[in-house]
Amino acid sequence: MAELGPARPVARRGGVMRTLLLVESNTTGTGRLFARRARELGYEPVLAAADPDRYPYAAEDGVRVVQVDTADPCAVLAADIGEPAGVTTSSEYFIPVAARIAAKLGLPGPDPDAVTDCRNKAHQRATLAAMAPKCTVVTSVAAAVAAATEFPVVLKPAEGSGSVGVLRCETPESVASQAAALLSVTHNERGLPVPAQVLVEPYASGPEYSVELFGDVVVAIVRKHLGPAPFFVEVGHDAPAALPPADETALADTARAAVSALGLGFGAAHVEIRLTPDGPRLMEVNPRLAGGMIPELVRAATGVDLVAAQVAAVLGAEPGLRPDRRVCASLRFLTASSASVVAAGDTIAAAAAVPGVVEARLYRPGGTAVRPARDYRDRAGHVLAVADRPRAGRAAAVAGLNQLREALIPRGETR
């Protein structure tokens, strides 16, 4: 990566349009909300993108897009981005680039080296060895098979997102097959190079949670629901997690310790932890807001808008982290159990009519083929419900999902 040149002065007021630079974006979930929150705070969003066609919402919402090589901070700084008052991203892959640009411009943001290191799970595990399952980092199929001494094991790429490439393996043959598949990948879905490293670790049993931190403030602890093995697709979330106080404290303490050890602490962090029979075991730390609609789940449950908080933080403003309500929110994702085709009909309206459901969405137009979920990209929609008690919130979300499920027709069937 080229060295960044001299810093340019940043105009924040005095007649100059105040802008928020977004370096790429999520293509699903909360991506477009960053631009909307910037405008609500009086700033104009500017989206830097290598492929503007990825973001139909930009044209729909009137967001200015600058086409540039977003893998290179120098190229972004040299582009027609104006004089931003803040820099951030909602895409996991571009957190280091956004952090380096912010640092060069003297703007608020996370430590660039810390977020770069954090994105590599091999580095994470080396730093957090005492908190996480034992992990072996390998660079060959033979080494992966040799590292799998006790089954089941989990294989995952050293850099990735959304459970892409994460697989539970029960035999040496499945380890060899998955390791070969992961090591054959040289670039991720955004065309960025990925290291030829695979993590092999024993499967950690027990329910999974995420701790949503902002700085050192625990905003929420979320219960995560996963789809069927051997994949690790998140198919639902509940907030609050409705845990005994001792378990909440253990999860919060583990998350704070992990973030501190990694040199993080600015803005949002999404920390995934399993409560095993031996106590909390760290799965991974993400130096960003959660995906999977968790920010919207947390907002529904507490009133805390984590997207607005992150935007405020990078603009040097005070993030609003004080909850204004305490209700129970549950989100369930629509996934296919067999090869199916989307035929929406009136299923969205039927799901939204379920008492307690506040949002129902399909992500695919009618006629789209949907396979059983292997990672986040195979989710076909979601239902979000709220209630006064956890059980009622979960029941409403499931009932809404059952209505939405009618939108998926198994291949070969007609209605």
Side-chain angles (χ1 to χ4, degrees), residues 225-315:
H225 300 272
L226 303 180
F231 305 105
F232 291 83
V233 182
E234 295 176 4
V235 296
H237 309 297
D238 302 323
L243 283 164
D247 287 340
E248 283 194 355
T249 299
L251 289 171
D253 288 349
T254 300
R256 286 195 187 98
V259 165
S260 176
L262 291 167
L264 304 172
F266 176 90
H270 170 62
V271 185
E272 298 174 328
I273 305 170
R274 283 207 171 193
L275 267 183
T276 74
D278 298 321
R281 303 302 287 169
L282 188 74
M283 295 294 100
E284 64 183 54
V285 177
N286 300 279
R288 55 167 172 80
L289 287 177
M293 298 300 295
I294 287 177
E296 289 298 276
L297 177 85
V298 171
R299 187 161 73 100
T302 68
V304 176
D305 188 334
L306 286 168
V307 175
Q310 186 73 7
V311 169
V314 300
L315 290 168

Side-chain angles (χ1 to χ4, degrees), residues 228 231-233 235 335-337 370-376 378-379:
F231 305 105
F232 291 83
V233 182
V235 296
T335 58
S337 57
V370 180
R371 69 177 183 179
R374 300 179 183 178
D375 58 56
Y376 78 99
D378 298 316
R379 297 188 297 219

Side-chain angles (χ1 to χ4, degrees), residues 17-24 35 38-39 43-49 63-66 80-84 86 88:
M17 173 64 73
R18 297 180 297 166
T19 63
L20 173 67
L21 176 63
L22 302 170
V23 183
E24 300 285 355
R39 283 177 170 159
Y43 294 79
E44 190 61 26
V46 175
L47 175 62
V63 175
R64 184 165 80 88
V65 181
V66 177
D80 181 23
I81 60 171
E83 297 179 335
T88 191

Side-chain angles (χ1 to χ4, degrees), residues 156-179:
K156 61 182 68 173
E159 292 185 8
S161 180
S163 301
V164 176
V166 183
L167 192 74
R168 173 172 161 163
C169 297
E170 306 283 349
T171 65
E173 292 76 18
S174 62
V175 169
S177 175
Q178 182 64 5

Side-chain angles (χ1 to χ4, degrees), residues 180-277:
L182 293 177
L183 290 169
S184 71
V185 176
T186 59
H187 291 75
N188 63 28
E189 61 186 293
R190 294 301 189 97
L192 303 174
V194 295
Q197 295 175 313
V198 174
L199 277 63
V200 183
E201 63 186 46
Y203 174 74
S205 63
E208 187 166 325
Y209 301 87
S210 68
V211 180
E212 308 307 324
L213 285 168
F214 204 94
D216 63 356
V217 176
V218 175
V219 177
I221 297 178
V222 177
R223 172 67 192 270
K224 303 162 79 71
H225 300 272
L226 303 180
F231 305 105
F232 291 83
V233 182
E234 295 176 4
V235 296
H237 309 297
D238 302 323
L243 283 164
D247 287 340
E248 283 194 355
T249 299
L251 289 171
D253 288 349
T254 300
R256 286 195 187 98
V259 165
S260 176
L262 291 167
L264 304 172
F266 176 90
H270 170 62
V271 185
E272 298 174 328
I273 305 170
R274 283 207 171 193
L275 267 183
T276 74

